[in-house]
Amino acid sequence: MPPKPMEPLARKLMKGVIAVEVLGVLGAYALFHRMNNSSEFRNTMSNRFPSVLEVYYRSNEWAGVYGTRERDQEAWAAKRH
C-alpha cells in the first residue's frame, strides 16, 4: 500500500507546532525568572509593558507570594527622590 502524500506534511507541521510551543514556554519562563530576580527589570517592564507586569504581580499573589508590588513601589519612589 503506497504511503499517503499528506502524512509527511502533517508530521512536519506537528513538529513545528511543538517546537513553537516549547520556545514559548521557555521564553515565558525566562521572562518570569528575570522579573522574579530583578526589581530594576520590573521597573523597566512597568514603563514599557505595564500589563505584563500586572500579570506577574497577580500570578504571584494567586500563588500566595504577597508584597512584591508594594516593595517595588516603595523602592521606585525612593529612587525618584
Side-chain angles (χ1 to χ4, degrees):
M1 179 148 95
K4 297 178 183 174
M6 291 300 288
E7 198 169 297
L9 177 61
R11 190 174 296 233
K12 285 182 182 180
L13 285 174
M14 191 59 159
K15 285 182 181 179
V17 167
I18 290 172
V20 168
E21 286 184 2
V22 168
L23 288 174
V25 168
L26 291 175
Y29 175 76
L31 179 64
F32 173 80
H33 182 70
R34 191 153 178 209
M35 286 175 51
N36 205 36
N37 291 323
S38 173
S39 177
E40 287 300 316
F41 185 68
R42 288 192 299 271
N43 190 16
T44 300
M45 293 300 288
S46 174
N47 294 332
R48 292 186 183 171
F49 306 106
S51 60
V52 173
L53 185 62
E54 183 63 26
V55 169
Y56 168 77
Y57 287 142
R58 287 188 183 188
S59 65
N60 273 348
E61 291 166 356
W62 180 78
V65 180
Y66 298 99
T68 306
R69 180 190 315 253
E70 291 78 13
R71 283 191 305 270
D72 284 347
Q73 289 172 347
E74 289 172 5
W76 301 336
K79 275 191 168 185
R80 289 184 200 142
H81 292 96

